[in-house]
Amino acid sequence: MGSQSDWPNLRHAAETLDALKIEYEARIVSAHRTPDRMVAFARGARTEGFKVIIASAGGAAHLPGMVAAFTTLPVLGVPAETKALGGQDSLYSIVQMPPGIPVGTLAIGRAGAINAALLAAAILALSDSDVEDALTEFRASQTAAVAEFPSDDV
């Protein structure tokens, strides 16, 4: 994440990864305030054992694209909801990457954070049967939690 203020949003990704029993590491690496830290992280992520990176930022939202510029790992961008434009500025900044440096862009805010974790899990499940089983179980429990008929007991 670009700053501590992104954690309330990105913790939803962390909680989803926890539910799937997928190890992760949350770090603050700002494209603007800690650029050397960001470059070192992105360049060394594969060597450190990372397989997918979820990056969230608001406003100019350069973090996902800048991280993607320094690694060939999949980078999933989560636009942070902002006060000025409700996160649309973040969304446009992340989704409009130039050709050659892709960032998989999710929805603004909480839904994007949760779906980034689920998409990361789907990527990992391609080569990890434990993650595939956890994701299959997650989806089954999600389906089972949906009532078939409406109720007034809400």
Side-chain angles (χ1 to χ4, degrees):
M1 65 201 86
S3 66
Q4 178 64 44
S5 64
D6 294 325
W7 182 241
N9 180 45
L10 220 48
R11 74 177 168 78
H12 298 292
E15 291 168 355
T16 303
L17 293 170
D18 285 339
L20 295 169
K21 295 180 177 53
I22 295 174
E23 291 184 31
Y24 62 90
E25 185 172 288
R27 293 189 189 185
I28 298 172
V29 291
S30 171
H32 301 117
R33 290 171 299 234
T34 63
D36 291 336
R37 184 189 309 169
M38 183 215 54
V39 171
F41 167 73
R43 283 193 171 147
R46 184 180 299 274
T47 302
E48 287 188 49
F50 291 93
K51 294 182 178 148
V52 180
I53 297 171
I54 298 171
S56 181
H62 290 133
L63 181 62
M66 289 301 297
V67 168
F70 288 100
T71 185
T72 56
L73 291 173
V75 176
L76 307 178
V78 180
E81 192 168 345
T82 58
K83 292 178 185 175
L85 298 171
Q88 289 184 27
D89 49 346
S90 310
L91 173 65
Y92 291 146
S93 293
I94 298 171
V95 80
Q96 287 299 111
M97 286 298 296
I101 306 294
V103 173
T105 308
L106 287 297
I108 297 167
R110 179 180 179 271
I114 292 168
N115 283 338
L118 294 171
L119 184 54
I123 292 168
L124 295 171
L126 291 170
S127 61
D128 187 323
S129 61
D130 290 339
V131 175
E132 182 182 11
D133 292 346
L135 188 55
T136 300
E137 185 178 315
F138 176 89
R139 293 248 181 121
S141 66
Q142 183 175 254
T143 299
V146 177
E148 188 171 350
F149 300 100
S151 170
D152 291 330
D153 300 329
V154 178

